[in-house]
Amino acid sequence: MTKVHRDSSRFPVVRVTDGVVSHVIDDVAVESPLEIRLVIGDAAARPTTGIVPEATEHPISVTMRTPGHDTELALGFLLTEGIITSPEQVTRVRLCGNDSTVRVSIAPNVSVDLDRLKRHFYTSSSCGVCGKSAIDAVRVSIREPLDPQLPRMTSGVLVSLPDALRSAQQVFDRTGGLHASGLFTTAGKLIRMHEDVGRHNALDKLIGAQWFDDESVFTESILLVSGRVSFELVQKALVAGIAVLVAVGAPSSLAVQLAETHGMSLVGFVRNNRMNVYCGAHRITDVA
């Protein structure tokens, strides 16, 4: 019996290899919409006596993602966008609507800027905002400044990370079409990894899962992303308190500016035993 995966679908394809044509079945990464909704005043999430305010729901985002770890994705998104700041603020998380909607209920004492929720987030490299206004907007979401010195690691550890991440990508093995984000110790040991068709979704899943498990790990770990580094990925890492961001691909100019502004170590093109350190080289012991 063929195993059915939520994160991939099977399609017939015509494959050409060295001029030889064959008809095969190929696994393709699933991409489907997920709506994230914020619930304020959820009586079921906070049983109490007396008068309970009527619950209100607020649509936050619709993202195209690979199904799986959807609640972690929603929590990571709310954290990295500065809407919530601690696990204690969340009272209930529900996957609803045939697994197409995540409803996140927050505690009644949490203040939410509803006007801010009506504005577009900086979630696209084509958002069209200037560098200065975008960087200024991120400052309001960063909870604590990064440690100016830690963590520290060697360049040898950094160049070993892509192979370690790739070996853990089970869905990529089937589809060849997913991004991944991995959190590593300074010795190069994989702590956890998540995959998604969207690079920002993979990072939100990783941050959301680790945040509820043990968020203290962020300050002493290395984050590796499988593709290029955009402004939004640096933003999300900064909000989580991650000081070292490493990428297999290239960073954008705004990503470098944002990382440098906040004292992050940003490393790109980490592959084939080489890398480019764009800022924060002092954390790499054999480079500084």
Side-chain angles (χ1 to χ4, degrees), residues 108-211:
N109 61 337
V110 177
S111 177
V112 178
D113 184 352
L114 295 179
D115 288 334
R116 180 173 181 266
L117 298 184
K118 296 176 183 178
R119 299 193 291 271
H120 294 295
F121 293 108
Y122 298 114
T123 57
S124 171
S125 60
S126 59
C127 60
V129 298
C130 73
K132 185 179 185 303
S133 62
I135 290 175
D136 288 344
V138 171
R139 288 196 180 100
V140 301
S141 300
I142 296 176
R143 296 174 292 167
E144 296 181 2
L146 301 177
D147 187 305
Q149 298 298 326
L150 300 176
R152 294 176 67 81
M153 72 293 303
T154 65
S155 61
V157 165
L158 295 182
V159 297
S160 73
L161 299 184
D163 286 343
L165 182 65
R166 176 64 186 84
S167 65
Q169 290 185 253
Q170 296 181 359
V171 184
F172 186 91
D173 284 339
R174 298 196 309 272
T175 67
L178 290 183
H179 290 285
S181 290
L183 201 63
F184 291 83
T185 68
T186 55
K189 180 181 179 181
L190 180 64
I191 299 171
R192 72 185 332 137
M193 183 275 300
H194 283 277
E195 295 177 280
D196 197 276
V197 71
R199 58 174 58 88
H200 59 287
N201 289 336
L203 183 52
D204 279 337
K205 288 179 178 181
L206 174 69
I207 290 175
Q210 187 61 47
W211 186 45

Side-chain angles (χ1 to χ4, degrees), residues 6-275:
R6 291 183 62 221
D7 47 33
S8 63
S9 296
R10 312 204 80 194
F11 293 89
V13 300
V14 179
R15 179 169 295 166
V16 182
T17 305
D18 295 329
V20 178
V21 177
S22 59
H23 296 265
V24 300
I25 300 297
D26 192 35
D27 284 286
V28 177
V30 170
E31 182 179 32
S32 62
L34 178 72
E35 182 181 20
I36 301 173
R37 301 182 69 90
L38 195 66
V39 182
I40 302 175
D42 186 351
R46 48 184 182 86
T48 185
T49 58
I51 299 176
V52 177
E54 183 178 354
T56 58
E57 286 194 11
H58 305 273
I60 303 301
S61 173
V62 176
T63 184
M64 300 300 294
R65 98 302 188 192
T66 301
H69 303 282
D70 293 324
T71 56
E72 290 91 339
L73 168 58
L75 293 171
F77 177 84
L78 293 176
L79 170 69
T80 59
E81 294 295 344
I83 300 171
I84 56 177
T85 59
S86 72
E88 291 73 26
Q89 293 179 334
V90 177
T91 57
R92 184 164 65 151
V93 183
R94 294 169 289 159
L95 186 59
C96 315
N98 195 28
D99 294 349
S100 63
T101 302
V102 174
R103 288 180 167 86
V104 181
S105 301
I106 61 172
N109 61 337
V110 177
S111 177
V112 178
D113 184 352
L114 295 179
D115 288 334
R116 180 173 181 266
L117 298 184
K118 296 176 183 178
R119 299 193 291 271
H120 294 295
F121 293 108
Y122 298 114
T123 57
S124 171
S125 60
S126 59
C127 60
V129 298
C130 73
K132 185 179 185 303
S133 62
I135 290 175
D136 288 344
V138 171
R139 288 196 180 100
V140 301
S141 300
I142 296 176
R143 296 174 292 167
E144 296 181 2
L146 301 177
D147 187 305
Q149 298 298 326
L150 300 176
R152 294 176 67 81
M153 72 293 303
T154 65
S155 61
V157 165
L158 295 182
V159 297
S160 73
L161 299 184
D163 286 343
L165 182 65
R166 176 64 186 84
S167 65
Q169 290 185 253
Q170 296 181 359
V171 184
F172 186 91
D173 284 339
R174 298 196 309 272
T175 67
L178 290 183
H179 290 285
S181 290
L183 201 63
F184 291 83
T185 68
T186 55
K189 180 181 179 181
L190 180 64
I191 299 171
R192 72 185 332 137
M193 183 275 300
H194 283 277
E195 295 177 280
D196 197 276
V197 71
R199 58 174 58 88
H200 59 287
N201 289 336
L203 183 52
D204 279 337
K205 288 179 178 181
L206 174 69
I207 290 175
Q210 187 61 47
W211 186 45
F212 266 77
D213 188 5
D214 180 9
E215 64 174 322
S216 68
V217 170
F218 289 134
T219 61
E220 56 195 39
S221 304
I222 305 167
L223 171 64
L224 173 68
V225 296
S226 61
R228 63 181 180 84
V229 182
S230 62
F231 169 87
E232 64 174 336
L233 295 190
V234 174
Q235 169 197 342
K236 291 176 182 297
L238 285 171
V239 173
I242 298 171
V244 181
L245 173 54
V246 179
V248 174
S252 68
S253 62
L254 193 55
V256 176
Q257 292 174 41
L258 182 62
E260 191 170 26
T261 296
H262 292 279
M264 171 186 279
S265 296
L266 180 60
V267 185
F269 291 111
V270 183
R271 53 179 184 257
N272 300 326
N273 205 36
R274 63 178 289 267
M275 63 184 185

